[in-house]
Amino acid sequence: MSKPVRIAPSILSADFARLGEEVRAIEAAGADWVHVDVMDGHFVPNITIGPMVVKALRPHTTLPLDVHLMISPVDGFLDAFAEAGADIITIHPEAGPHAHRTIQRVKGLGKMAGVSLNPGTPAKMLDYLIDIVDVVLVMSVNPGFGGQSFIESQLKKISAIRKMIDATGRDVRLEVDGGVDAGNAARIIAAGADVLVAGTATFKGGPTQYAANIAALKARAAGAG
């Protein structure tokens, strides 16, 4: 692919007692975005962080904060995350009654708007959203917890979404999150993705390994071109 591949480490796998340091470390190690997983214990079976933590992280990095809202109902929180410093706000179509309106609101706040599809959510869900989103995030595990294995059936979905994006002629990022590592990065990129969310694959081995971990992902991704 001609597009450069971005690596977006998920802070879900970081040391939560040292989040500011961890974010500075991954930026220094070559990360492109910082992926922030927001979970409410309702839409997904885990609870993570809220807008105050995003606000606290904002001064620690110049990288885009890629905030993935796994919360329902989502609409009441859009303004808070925008004000906290999110650059990209991604929602699930199942997280509210009017996905199109929700995406319009994100864009009205001056942010990049993303839509995320769970493993069981078909690509067809994007038919009337693809023309207004900036990011499509394919979940290649069922959301809620880090460290899960990549679901192979999602490669076909990634390919289908890549065709949809190309047909629009728009610059829409195609992001993949869940079980991404150096072993499958090339296949994911070959299927059409251009942003890889990598939690465990980035943070394994501690801060001295972050640069090597990110470099390994980028090298595998580059080999897919």
Side-chain angles (χ1 to χ4, degrees):
M1 288 184 62
S2 56
K3 243 187 220 182
V5 172
R6 292 175 171 86
I7 304 299
S10 168
I11 62 168
L12 190 62
S13 299
D15 180 348
F16 268 49
R18 310 172 46 248
L19 272 186
E21 293 169 62
E22 291 277 65
V23 167
R24 293 197 302 273
I26 59 174
E27 179 169 4
D32 300 291
W33 292 356
V34 177
H35 190 78
V36 182
D37 289 304
V38 178
M39 306 181 186
D40 65 356
H42 168 69
F43 186 70
V44 291
N46 197 4
I47 298 172
T48 54
I49 63 174
M52 286 191 298
V53 176
V54 173
K55 184 177 181 179
L57 286 177
R58 183 68 279 178
H60 289 273
T61 182
T62 60
L63 296 178
L65 291 180
D66 174 30
V67 177
H68 177 197
L69 299 182
M70 289 166 274
I71 59 180
S72 175
V74 71
D75 292 305
F77 293 94
L78 302 176
D79 290 48
F81 280 101
E83 289 163 12
D87 297 287
I88 304 159
I89 297 177
T90 297
I91 60 100
H92 285 254
E94 300 93 346
H98 304 292
H100 192 282
R101 177 186 291 160
T102 302
I103 291 162
Q104 284 182 316
R105 178 59 186 159
V106 173
K107 293 175 79 73
L109 291 166
K111 307 301 180 179
M112 291 177 67
V115 63
S116 181
L117 303 185
N118 286 331
T121 305
K124 189 167 181 57
M125 185 70 83
L126 297 169
D127 280 359
Y128 298 98
L129 300 174
I130 196 74
D131 288 327
I132 60 168
V133 298
D134 303 297
V135 177
V136 176
L137 172 58
V138 174
M139 291 303 300
S140 43
V141 298
N142 284 293
F145 299 95
Q148 299 183 69
S149 297
F150 183 84
I151 298 172
E152 292 290 329
S153 64
Q154 300 310 294
L155 288 170
K156 186 166 71 170
K157 186 191 295 182
I158 295 163
S159 296
I161 295 170
R162 169 49 58 194
K163 290 186 177 72
M164 295 173 76
I165 291 171
D166 290 348
T168 70
R170 299 179 64 242
D171 182 21
V172 179
R173 312 279 195 274
L174 180 46
E175 186 173 15
V176 177
D177 181 4
V180 174
D181 58 30
N184 57 28
R187 288 185 295 131
I188 295 168
I189 296 302
D194 50 47
V195 183
L196 300 179
V197 177
T200 306
T202 294
F203 288 98
K204 65 182 180 184
T208 60
Q209 294 301 306
Y210 295 170
N213 292 343
I214 291 171
L217 286 166
K218 289 191 173 183
R220 293 296 179 91

